[in-house]
Amino acid sequence: MNRNLLVTALIATAAFGSSFAASAQTSAANTTQRDVNQEQRIENGLQNGSITTRENAELQRDEAHVDKLQAQDMKNGPMTGAEKAQLNAAQNRTSRDITQAKTNGINGNPLSASSQRAQADTQRNIDQQQRINNGVRNGSLTNHEAASLERGQSHVDKREARAGANGHISAGEQRGIARADNRQSARIYNKKHNATVKG
């Protein structure tokens, strides 16, 4: 009878552990999916002219803040309730800022060189964030690895924010952003294809 109790306890512990890991994975997947969605909304605004290059820079500063919070919250494993609430509040602020930028009546020229560069950079953000999200969802990225990649994404976003702060992104500034994006892309690939997987 003691043996049956021991087996039952082990099964219950394993089930709880896997449900806890699944919950942590779902939390990280939800927040990284939201990154993809927010960047897509920014991209749509740039493409239709409702978001200017300068507004994009301000929104990328917001995104950098969100990515930095994600990096801090995910680095030690599952996010706590307080961390989730803080991150959700930051993402809500960014969402409101995107809506404000798109509806404030200040329009940009989506065909200008600066807007085209901002669009290309934002599309790259969407792609990189989607790759991180996919890795979190399929288990090829641990929370710790995703945290490291979000920290890298924060650096890229800050670079974009600095470049567009004056309302203009030069070809040289975009080359610097592209180099940062290339380094980030290689880091995403390496972390998704290493031997470390979510347990």
Side-chain angles (χ1 to χ4, degrees), residues 131-176:
R131 291 170 62 204
I132 294 169
N133 181 256
N134 291 343
V136 168
R137 286 187 185 282
N138 68 26
S140 61
L141 289 175
T142 65
N143 273 16
H144 185 75
E145 289 173 323
S148 171
L149 293 173
E150 288 297 344
R151 189 170 47 254
Q153 203 60 42
S154 175
H155 293 310
V156 171
D157 292 341
K158 282 181 192 169
R159 192 172 198 127
E160 291 172 18
R162 281 192 304 272
N166 63 357
H168 176 75
I169 300 172
S170 71
E173 287 170 322
Q174 189 179 33
R175 282 193 297 274

Side-chain angles (χ1 to χ4, degrees), residues 44-45 50 59 89 99 102-103 118 127 138:
N44 293 344
S50 61
L59 294 170
T99 299
K102 291 176 84 168
T103 60
D127 296 341
N138 68 26

Side-chain angles (χ1 to χ4, degrees), residues 40-82:
Q40 186 63 64
R41 290 174 61 209
I42 296 169
E43 174 74 350
N44 293 344
L46 283 165
Q47 288 176 345
N48 67 29
S50 61
I51 292 179
T52 67
T53 302
R54 187 185 312 266
E55 288 170 331
N56 173 64
E58 293 165 4
L59 294 170
Q60 292 305 330
R61 189 175 301 109
D62 287 354
E63 286 294 327
H65 175 67
V66 167
D67 292 338
K68 185 178 175 185
L69 279 177
Q70 287 171 320
Q72 292 168 350
D73 294 347
M74 290 192 290
K75 71 180 176 187
N76 294 323
M79 288 185 276
T80 66

